[in-house]
Every structure is written in C-alpha cells, then in structure tokens.
Amino acid sequence: MKVDKEIFQIAIDGTASSGKNTAAKRLARKFGFLFLDTGSLYRGITVWFMRENVDLGSGDAVADALCKMDLRVRCQTGATLIFLGEEDITDSLHDLDVCEYVFKVASVPEVRVKVREIQHKTAEAETLICIGRDITHVVFPGAKFKFYLTASAKVRAKWRLGMVRENNSEATLEQVRTMIEKRDYADKTREISPLRIVKGAVVVDATRLSPYQVVKKMEAIIVKKLCREG
C-alpha cells in the first residue's frame, strides 16, 4: 500500500530495544514511506566523539567536534544508513561500547540540536516514519500518528543480546539487561527532552506480542485514519 497524499510524519517513541526499529522498517516498506532512526543519528555522533576523544563537559570541545564532523544520512524505505565521510559505519552503531556511551552523548544539548536539524531537513520532502525518544513531543509534536512502544526489561534484553553478540561474543544477558535498565533511567530522568508518553499517543506493550502482531496493530490504526480522511 503506497500513500501519495500530503506529507506527514509518523512519530514513534519508546524504551530501548522495544522493537521500534523493526516496526518502523516494516511499516515503511508497507506504505512506501522513508524511515529515519533517530538512535542511529545519536550513535553515529557517538562513534565520531569516541574516535575524537571529545570531552562532553566542554562546550567548546563539543562544538568543535560537531563542526568538524561529516555525518551523512541516507534514508531509504525501511533503512537508515549512517556514514562518516565516505565510510559506512552502520554496522558498528550497536557495538557494546557505543551502546554504553550513547546516552551520555544524547544528553548534550548541542548534540540534540544537531540531530533535530537533520530530522527536520529529512522530513521536508517526503512522508517520514521517525523513531526515537522525544519524537512525539519535541521533534514532531504535530505528527499525524503518535506511538509509544515498550516491553519488559527482561524481554528487551533477550531481543538485544543477539545483536550485541555479533560484535561482542562474550556479552551476557545480565550485562545487556543492566545496560537497558541504565538507559531507561537516563532517558526518563534527563532534564532535556525526557522519554514520556504524550497525550494522544497509542501505547503498544510488546512484552507478549510478536513483531508481526505489533506491526499489524499499528498498521490497522494508520489505515483506519487514512481511509477515514481519504
């Protein structure tokens, strides 16, 4: 099903490893929309900051690093590719050290401003499905569709473990669960754009749902509204 009417946004927030990426990719393929993974933007910046040993406590150091950074984004139907210059770093975005450090980078105000610039520029030309943690209330508060995905920390750790082990074969379930719980706390308690459920957002708890069931639930809501307006 391809939608060719007005340009709009589908905003999806949620806890770490709750299935936002999978759901958004499948919805993007279903409807022919572009897909932008906000987490990939923050992770790409994190990779750059780690390489440059940027002192996050120094505003000058952060500003200088962002100025020098050549972060490139290629949004496709069902994929977000991240480059530093000509180097495709997409496969390294979920390395364990990046996962453990990204929440600190994401809390830096200058970084969030930079990411928001990229998000808005990407959404200018085409309908976009965007996932993150402040999409529904900060980035695209006027989005036509707003969703909030979550699941228990135990289930999310099981989902993420396989991905982490692709780059760190010694990673344990407990390590990943601790990492996820730490990220949840940081996301929900940070002063700038904390993760929260906004009024009007459809909450989807995926703890006992398959990825297919999650997508079908979201798809039904989108189709119903588009058909009613069409």
Side-chain angles (χ1 to χ4, degrees), residues 2 48 82 87 113 118 153-154 156 174 190 196 223:
K2 189 173 179 62
W48 171 248
I82 304 295
E87 178 190 358
V113 170
I118 297 172
K154 181 179 180 180
R156 287 183 285 139
E174 189 58 35
R190 67 186 179 215
R196 62 186 178 88
V223 169

Side-chain angles (χ1 to χ4, degrees), residues 196-216:
R196 62 186 178 88
I197 303 173
V198 300
K199 182 178 180 180
V202 177
V203 179
V204 180
D205 188 334
T207 301
R208 294 179 175 81
L209 300 177
S210 68
Y212 173 81
Q213 291 173 315
V214 170
V215 172
K216 293 302 291 185

Side-chain angles (χ1 to χ4, degrees), residues 161-225:
L161 183 60
M163 181 180 294
V164 172
R165 279 184 173 171
E166 290 179 3
N167 298 295
N168 181 2
S169 60
E170 296 182 359
T172 66
L173 180 63
E174 189 58 35
Q175 283 179 320
V176 176
R177 179 170 180 170
T178 298
M179 177 184 69
I180 285 175
E181 291 175 338
K182 184 177 181 181
R183 181 64 191 273
D184 286 349
Y185 179 80
D187 287 337
K188 294 176 181 179
T189 60
R190 67 186 179 215
E191 293 184 7
I192 303 174
S193 304
L195 173 66
R196 62 186 178 88
I197 303 173
V198 300
K199 182 178 180 180
V202 177
V203 179
V204 180
D205 188 334
T207 301
R208 294 179 175 81
L209 300 177
S210 68
Y212 173 81
Q213 291 173 315
V214 170
V215 172
K216 293 302 291 185
K217 184 173 184 176
M218 297 170 73
E219 179 186 326
I221 292 171
I222 294 171
V223 169
K224 182 177 181 179
K225 185 170 184 177

Side-chain angles (χ1 to χ4, degrees), residues 80-118:
T80 301
L81 306 181
I82 304 295
F83 294 77
L84 283 175
E86 297 297 328
E87 178 190 358
D88 186 348
I89 62 168
T90 307
D91 289 342
S92 64
L93 298 181
H94 290 280
D95 288 354
L96 189 58
D97 55 348
V98 176
C99 293
E100 292 177 339
Y101 194 54
V102 65
F103 77 91
K104 293 183 180 180
V105 175
S107 67
V108 178
E110 295 85 350
V111 172
R112 303 196 72 81
V113 170
K114 181 65 176 180
V115 168
R116 204 171 306 156
E117 289 175 357
I118 297 172

Side-chain angles (χ1 to χ4, degrees), residues 16-61:
S17 302
S18 58
K20 299 186 298 295
N21 197 296
T22 298
K25 285 181 177 180
R26 293 185 179 183
L27 288 172
R29 295 190 186 104
K30 172 71 177 180
F31 294 101
F33 298 152
L34 290 186
F35 166 59
L36 178 60
D37 178 7
T38 300
S40 291
L41 299 179
Y42 284 114
R43 289 170 186 274
I45 295 175
T46 298
V47 171
W48 171 248
F49 277 22
M50 291 173 66
R51 290 182 179 181
E52 296 294 304
N53 295 313
V54 178
D55 178 5
L56 298 183
S58 169
D60 289 340

